[in-house]
Amino acid sequence: MTDYSDNRYFELFEKQKLNQFAIGRTTYKERIKKLNRLKEALEVTYKQDIREALFKDFKKPQLEVDLTEIYPVIDEINFVKSNLKSWLKKQKVDTPIALLGSSSWIRHEPKGVCLIISPWNFPVNLSFGPLVSAIAAGNTVILKPSEMTPHTSKVMHAIIKDLYDENDIALVEGEVEVSQALLKLPFNHIFFTGSPQVGKIVMKAASAHLTSVTLELGGKSPVIIDDTSHIDKAVKKLIFGKFVNAGQTCIAPDYVFINDAIKPAFIAAFKKHIIAFYSETPSASNSYGRIVNEKHFKRLKGYLDDAISRNAEIAVGGISEEKDHYIEPTLVFDVSEDSELMQNEIFGPILPVKTYTNIQEVIDYINSKGKPLALYIFSKNKKQINTIIKNTRAGSTCINHNLLQFLNHNLPFGGSNTSGIGKSHGYFGFLEFVNQRSVLKQHTISAVDLLLPPYTNFKQKIVDLTIKWF
Ligand code: NAD
């Protein structure tokens, strides 16, 4: 057996391992009490601290903090509170005739000691959201938030320390090395949210212990706007979806396909709504955030410069300011396929547009890439919408809007292959953190008992009849 005693998180891990059965035995009422404490911290005690920390980290506007960081976690808690009792009940299943005399059920038992690794772009939402599911399922948790939003990580650390014992739930701050050390430990489940590149590292590390994983990854999420859509309304919604959080959203529209015929109307609507949302000078707007750090600013500026050097045309925006990590909402046409903008997930406020004449070109293009985390369709043409959905694959789709699919906890949230493995939110998030244990109880004599060795011709006949009739 591997010796982990020199791992700096060994003691913490061992404490949780020892405590996991006590936590696993907690009733739904005790779990809800734990969730209520988190709810109060977010709603009241630490709300202002969270807002201030996110402003320090990347000038995230207060309304966006409330709407995209605090509200989704509270909503997740409320959803769990309404449903946890029934989720934890033993789930009876039917008994086939051949097994008469028995009854069977599924027990949703906690996986045990879980690791949650979260990204920086919605640090509170994407750390505490999965934590809610893990608590609901009765696990102990070590949470490692991103090093790129240190002010927010510090507040989250204070919240966790204030609310929970570390042998139940702990948060460890630190650089990538912290994740690397944690990933060596034999967790029972790892819930990772981040880039596909790091997702592969996590999956490889998990394979050493056959630890199950949920990977909430990213990629390029396309938008299709056809000539039957209401262009003005579609563009208004698109601008919200793309530029909220300054474009640093996993399900943000990454690039747009528009029907050739609507190009002039699309550009006009884009200019109009950018001014309406963020004024003529978005850098002075309280509604527009910043790029998280210099590294990501330089990455995005590099993508834009690269596209321009390959003859891309900026239709709107294009201004940036390094010392403020500011990039103006930017719309680009004629972006060459081999440019950085089209080869990588953009994850920032730059929106390339491609034009098409035939929807099959769009479908073929999308299918030539990894399965997107989200695919958006703006159209009034039901047949066209169905054709696109049936002939493509994606983690989620929102029709005539964008991002909103994330907010419905009755829907599973997650990707497929390159954009992720497993799902989060509501019941689907709860399922990631439980083992669905099958239980069969024999009450009376079982038909199978009649077939035990020695095998005779009579027993063979019973088997033949069973196969034929049951
Ligand atoms: P990232 O993959 O760089 O980092 C995520 C976490 O992994 C951080 O906590 C970081 O400390 C850790 N990490 C980084 N490198 C590591 C390594 N070599 N070994 C072990 N751990 C490591 O992602 P990010 O930049 O924080 O976030 C952006 C990415 O996350 C984008 O691709 C985005 O699409 C994706 N994302 C996905 C979702 C989703 O729900 N599917 C949500 C938000 C972000």
Side-chain angles (χ1 to χ4, degrees), residues 118-121 126 144 147 179 193-195 198 216-218 250 345:
S118 57
W120 54 265
N121 63 325
L126 299 173
K144 153 70 179 82
E147 63 285 2
S179 292
T193 308
S195 60
V198 180
E216 293 283 356
L217 309 177
C250 57
E345 176 182 4

Side-chain angles (χ1 to χ4, degrees), residues 117-122 126 144-148 174-180 183 191-199 201-202 215-219 248-251 295-296 345 347 373 406 413-415 419-420 424:
I117 300 179
S118 57
W120 54 265
N121 63 325
F122 291 93
L126 299 173
K144 153 70 179 82
S146 172
E147 63 285 2
M148 295 211 198
E175 299 293 321
V176 167
E177 295 72 40
V178 171
S179 292
Q180 288 166 337
L183 283 170
F191 189 107
F192 169 80
T193 308
S195 60
Q197 296 85 330
V198 180
I201 295 171
V202 170
L215 302 177
E216 293 283 356
L217 309 177
Q248 301 160 115
T249 304
C250 57
I251 46 169
K295 180 181 148 201
H296 281 282
E345 176 182 4
F347 218 58
L373 187 57
F406 184 92
F413 180 79
S419 52
S424 56

Side-chain angles (χ1 to χ4, degrees), residues 60 63-72 122 125 240 244-245 406:
K60 183 153 175 163
L63 188 142
E64 283 188 16
V65 174
D66 290 0
L67 184 69
T68 69
E69 302 277 2
I70 293 175
Y71 164 74
F122 291 93
N125 179 344
F240 166 71
V244 69
N245 220 38
F406 184 92

Side-chain angles (χ1 to χ4, degrees), residues 215-342:
L215 302 177
E216 293 283 356
L217 309 177
K220 293 179 84 64
S221 296
V223 181
I224 304 165
I225 305 183
D226 79 10
D227 52 350
T228 67
S229 64
H230 191 299
I231 312 299
D232 193 69
K233 282 186 187 161
V235 171
K236 189 175 179 182
K237 292 170 187 172
L238 174 74
I239 290 177
F240 166 71
K242 177 66 187 180
F243 300 109
V244 69
N245 220 38
Q248 301 160 115
T249 304
C250 57
I251 46 169
D254 188 272
Y255 62 96
V256 190
F257 266 111
I258 59 170
N259 188 289
D260 228 2
I262 67 166
K263 187 174 171 183
F266 178 88
I267 296 177
F270 198 93
K271 285 181 178 160
K272 178 182 121 184
H273 289 298
I274 286 287
I275 293 171
F277 278 20
Y278 307 117
S279 81
E280 296 269 7
T281 329
S283 59
S285 164
N286 291 333
S287 305
Y288 189 64
R290 294 297 182 268
I291 306 308
V292 69
N293 57 26
E294 191 183 337
K295 180 181 148 201
H296 281 282
F297 172 85
K298 286 193 163 147
R299 177 182 64 80
L300 288 162
K301 178 80 173 53
Y303 286 4
L304 197 55
D305 292 344
D306 169 67
I308 293 166
S309 76
R310 295 167 197 266
N311 302 322
E313 183 212 326
I314 294 183
V316 178
I319 294 173
S320 59
E321 202 186 308
E322 182 165 349
K323 73 173 186 335
D324 197 23
H325 301 161
Y326 168 74
I327 295 183
E328 197 176 12
T330 298
L331 187 69
V332 216
F333 281 84
D334 300 325
V335 181
S336 82
E337 215 28 63
D338 54 359
S339 66
E340 302 271 20
L341 273 183
M342 293 317 294

